[in-house]
């Protein structure tokens, strides 16, 4: 016999998650690992089992000068590709250091933006993809809001001890990169039978226990 009372819908067990990525820090880890990643897969592996509300990338752009024009165009093309993958990209225009180099520090922008988004959205989890110890205060402030903070870094290489201590847990970034490795499928060579006939018509670990 069916109950006359409606069944209670179980709560969503997947943790609502925000991801904040320091692009320069992640690219440094990718260079050391000699890897290219599938960015869609990277997000899925990084937040495995969680519901990603937003994934924000903080990127420094070359100065808007003729000297850096080609470099800036290449960077903008890459960032647009990330936006097509569903990432929210925040840009900061850099300042030239000399004729060949520039500096664009996104730390302050990322910290302020992360606090604002977390206060508005109120996620269960915040994942910081950075190893910079300057983000330790951000991790502690997020935890004071009742948000679990997980830091994705490579221990001993690009993960500062103070940031590791400030987080609830550490995600092994090296393992995430390994699992999100870009798989390049070689183009098969055409065989005689594959060639079209002539025609005249046009024819995507935690390394520390929660505290």
């Amino acid at each position: 016999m069916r109950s006359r009372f409606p069944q209670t819908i179980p709560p969503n067990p997947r943790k609502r998650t925000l991801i904040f990525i320091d692009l320069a820090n992640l690219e440094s880890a990718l260079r050391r690992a000699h890897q290219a990643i599938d960015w869609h897969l990277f997000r899925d592996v990084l937040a495995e089992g969680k519901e990603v509300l937003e994934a924000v990338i903080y990127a420094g752009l070359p100065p808007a000068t003729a000297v850096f024009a080609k470099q800036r165009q290449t960077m903008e093309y890459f960032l647009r590709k990330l936006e097509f993958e569903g990432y929210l990209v925040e840009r900061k225009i850099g300042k030239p250091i000399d004729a060949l180099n520039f500096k664009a520090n996104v730390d302050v922008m990322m910290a302020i933006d992360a606090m604002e988004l977390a206060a508005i959205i109120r996620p269960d989890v915040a994942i910081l993809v950075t190893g910079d110890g300057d983000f330790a205060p951000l991790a502690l402030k997020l935890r004071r809001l009742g948000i679990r903070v997980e830091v994705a870094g490579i221990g001993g290489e690009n993960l500062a001890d103070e940031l590791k201590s400030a987080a609830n847990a550490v995600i092994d970034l090296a393992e995430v990169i390994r699992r999100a490795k870009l798989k390049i499928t070689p183009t098969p060579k055409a065989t005689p039978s594959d060639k079209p006939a002539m025609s005249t018509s046009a024819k995507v670990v935690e390394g520390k226990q929660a505290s």
Side-chain angles (χ1 to χ4, degrees):
M1 179 178 177
R2 291 186 178 179
S3 171
R4 293 177 299 168
F5 302 101
Q7 293 183 348
T8 302
I9 300 175
N12 184 0
R14 300 177 67 192
K15 300 295 185 180
R16 301 167 69 254
T17 302
L18 288 176
I19 300 173
F20 302 101
I21 301 173
D22 178 350
L23 183 59
N25 195 274
L26 176 56
E27 286 185 326
S28 176
L30 290 172
R31 283 193 297 271
R32 283 197 294 270
H34 305 289
Q35 294 284 6
I37 57 173
D38 177 325
W39 283 89
H40 183 83
L41 184 57
F42 176 79
R43 180 177 55 217
D44 290 347
V45 173
L46 183 67
E48 192 169 34
K50 302 180 179 70
E51 177 189 0
V52 177
L53 303 176
E54 194 64 80
V56 191
I57 289 179
Y58 300 87
L61 275 178
T65 63
V67 175
F68 295 98
K70 187 174 182 180
Q71 191 176 354
R72 184 183 175 92
Q73 183 179 17
T74 300
M75 185 66 174
E76 273 290 6
Y77 176 75
F78 171 65
L79 295 180
R80 284 196 295 271
K81 287 180 65 177
L82 293 180
E83 288 173 331
F84 289 141
E85 289 286 354
Y87 287 91
L88 175 61
V89 178
E90 296 291 345
R91 298 161 170 81
K92 180 175 181 179
I93 300 176
K95 296 181 179 179
I97 298 174
D98 52 43
L100 300 176
N101 302 292
F102 71 96
K103 183 177 181 180
N105 193 325
V106 302
D107 292 10
V108 174
M109 179 174 67
M110 178 171 162
I112 294 175
D113 199 48
M115 282 300 299
E116 289 180 348
L117 279 177
I120 294 169
I121 299 176
R122 305 295 293 188
D124 300 308
V125 180
I127 298 177
L128 307 181
V129 184
T130 181
D132 192 336
D134 290 342
F135 287 105
L138 170 62
L140 292 173
K141 286 181 181 295
L142 290 172
R143 289 181 65 178
R144 288 171 65 90
L145 292 176
I147 299 169
R148 175 181 170 83
V149 177
E150 300 178 1
V151 173
I154 301 175
E157 292 187 29
N158 77 330
L159 181 57
D161 288 339
E162 56 267 39
L163 180 57
K164 182 177 179 181
S165 298
N168 291 103
V170 173
I171 297 172
D172 184 357
L173 184 58
E175 176 64 13
V176 175
I177 291 173
R178 185 191 68 78
R179 292 177 57 191
K181 179 181 177 181
L182 183 64
K183 296 178 175 60
I184 301 175
T185 304
T187 304
K189 294 182 179 180
T191 62
S193 59
D194 295 328
K195 294 179 180 178
M198 295 294 290
S199 172
T200 56
S201 60
K203 300 283 191 198
V204 198
V205 167
E206 294 185 357
K208 187 177 69 150
Q209 295 297 320
S211 56

